[in-house]
């Protein structure tokens, strides 16, 4: 335990600071993970909404004709700043149409090897693809004809534009820094409160120690009044006991108990009648 107010303040500041730092790092990490997860989910939702725009009558026309003719509408829908490529498949999973815009040939070759996931009519398949150091979004949307039957599939490969990526990173970073700052600010506010509580606790501990010492001293005086030779004897026994305990490398806590026991080892004399206790030799 600290012996001076300065030591008390330093002890509390160091322990509270270390605890706050650990909690802040954990909170920041959790906030960063949650922010990243939410940003990725939002990106998937955005890519899914964009992919749904391609499930239009122009797609059904291509599927019904089996030819990639008359796809000017698809060219207008294809936003080459976001979409890497688009593929159309019939109900059996055979490719009917594709458009890769200005994507690199090496990237197209890798994406073409991706197996087609064919979701149910009322479902959508979406996932992330890491290709050539790019984090791409892969979405497969079923195409339903006018009779509400499955006609084929549209697969889109898209990327997040630089502005969206920057905004998401800033949002995630801000959330993590906010969590860290909140923990550190809480620790700063709690420091004076905990310092006051610790001072109060140490004051009560000192009061309890003083009370115990006063009790021991009172019992020792009571024994001395019964037998005048016991007072000095109690101190000698206590000193000898402490010396032996230190030589035996007994712990400080055990020595504190030993002091009380050694000093009060004759406390039983209080209950012995004087005619017996002070009786001389026969």
């Amino acid at each position: 335990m600290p012996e001076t107010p300065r030591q008390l303040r330093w002890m509390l500041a160091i322990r509270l600071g270390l605890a706050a730092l650990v909690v802040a790092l954990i909170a920041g990490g959790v906030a960063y993970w949650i922010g990243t997860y939410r940003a990725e989910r939002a990106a998937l939702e955005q890519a899914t909404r964009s992919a749904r725009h391609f499930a239009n009558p122009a797609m059904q026309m291509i599927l019904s004709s089996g030819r990639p003719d008359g796809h000017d509408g698809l060219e207008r829908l294809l936003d080459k700043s976001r979409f890497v490529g688009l593929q159309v498949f019939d109900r059996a999973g055979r490719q009917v149409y594709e458009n890769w815009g200005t994507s690199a040939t090496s990237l197209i070759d890798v994406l073409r090897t991706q197996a087609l996931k064919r979701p149910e009519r009322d479902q959508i398949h979406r996932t992330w693809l890491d290709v050539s150091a790019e984090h791409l979004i892969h979405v497969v949307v079923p195409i339903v004809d006018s009779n509400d039957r499955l006609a084929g599939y549209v697969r889109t490969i898209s990327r997040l534009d630089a502005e969206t990526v920057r905004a998401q990173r800033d949002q995630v970073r801000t959330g993590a820094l906010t969590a860290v700052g909140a923990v550190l600010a809480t620790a700063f506010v709690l420091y004076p409160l905990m310092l006051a509580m610790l001072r109060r606790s140490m004051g009560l501990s000192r009061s309890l120690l003083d009370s115990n010492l006063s009790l021991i001293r009172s019992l020792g005086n009571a024994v001395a009044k019964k037998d005048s030779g016991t007072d000095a004897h109690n101190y000698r026994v206590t000193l000898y006991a402490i010396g032996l305990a230190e030589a035996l490398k007994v712990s400080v806590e055990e020595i504190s108990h030993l002091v009380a026991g050694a000093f009060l080892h004759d406390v039983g004399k209080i209950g012995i009648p004087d005619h017996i206790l002070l009786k001389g030799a026969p």
Side-chain angles (χ1 to χ4, degrees):
M1 291 296 291
E3 298 179 355
T4 63
R6 184 177 181 180
Q7 290 179 350
L8 175 63
R9 290 193 298 269
W10 273 109
M11 182 195 73
L12 181 60
I14 292 174
R15 293 186 179 183
L16 184 60
L18 290 176
L21 182 60
V22 172
V23 175
L25 291 176
I26 295 175
V30 172
Y32 183 85
W33 180 84
I34 293 176
T36 303
Y37 174 78
R38 288 179 175 176
E40 290 187 349
R41 294 292 299 178
L44 288 175
E45 292 293 340
Q46 179 183 354
T48 301
R49 288 192 297 268
S50 300
R52 285 181 181 274
H53 290 299
F54 292 97
N56 58 76
M59 287 293 186
Q60 298 180 20
M61 181 176 61
I62 291 177
L63 287 172
S64 61
S65 64
R67 302 188 311 273
D69 301 331
H71 57 268
D72 294 340
L74 294 180
E75 293 286 355
R76 289 191 297 269
L77 283 173
L78 189 60
D79 181 5
K80 294 182 175 59
S81 64
R82 183 187 312 129
F83 283 94
V84 175
L86 176 146
Q87 293 175 294
V88 181
F89 300 86
D90 62 14
R91 186 185 309 172
R94 294 185 295 267
Q95 179 176 299
V96 178
Y97 168 80
E98 68 176 355
N99 189 318
W100 297 100
T102 58
S103 300
T105 304
S106 58
L107 179 61
I108 296 174
D109 292 339
V110 174
L111 293 175
R112 280 175 173 169
T113 61
Q114 297 293 323
L116 175 66
K117 301 292 184 180
R118 294 191 286 176
E120 299 296 331
R121 186 176 59 85
D122 55 347
Q123 297 179 351
I124 295 176
H125 172 77
R126 56 189 183 182
T127 186
W128 290 91
L129 290 177
D130 291 316
V131 181
S132 300
E134 288 198 71
H135 204 38
L136 306 176
I137 304 175
H138 175 213
V139 180
V140 180
V141 180
I143 302 175
V144 180
D145 60 19
S146 57
N147 296 321
D148 199 28
R149 293 179 300 184
L150 180 64
Y153 306 93
V154 174
R155 177 163 72 177
T156 62
I157 307 295
S158 59
R159 64 165 62 92
L160 296 179
D161 56 86
E163 183 178 353
T164 302
V165 173
R166 191 182 310 109
Q168 289 182 351
R169 288 178 178 174
D170 291 342
Q171 182 179 3
V172 172
R173 188 183 304 110
T174 300
L177 292 177
T178 300
V180 172
V183 173
L184 295 179
T186 302
F188 182 78
V189 172
L190 288 178
Y191 173 75
L193 299 177
M194 296 182 66
L195 182 60
M197 293 177 60
L198 188 56
R199 284 174 175 171
R200 175 64 175 169
S201 176
M202 292 187 65
L204 293 175
S205 298
R206 289 194 180 96
S207 297
L208 180 60
L209 177 61
D210 292 340
S211 298
N212 290 336
L213 292 176
S214 297
L215 177 60
I216 293 175
R217 191 179 300 112
S218 298
L219 290 174
N221 292 336
V223 175
K225 288 181 179 180
K226 293 285 291 185
D227 185 359
S228 60
T230 302
D231 192 19
H233 170 71
N234 287 339
Y235 286 99
R236 288 195 301 271
V237 171
T238 302
L239 293 175
Y240 291 151
I242 293 174
L244 288 173
E246 291 178 345
L248 294 174
K249 301 186 182 305
V250 177
S251 66
V252 176
E253 183 179 358
E254 292 179 345
I255 290 178
S256 64
H257 297 303
L258 179 63
V259 168
F263 190 77
L264 298 177
H265 72 281
D266 278 338
V267 72
K269 289 183 178 181
I270 296 177
I272 300 176
D274 290 343
H275 70 275
I276 297 177
L277 180 63
L278 305 177
K279 182 180 178 180

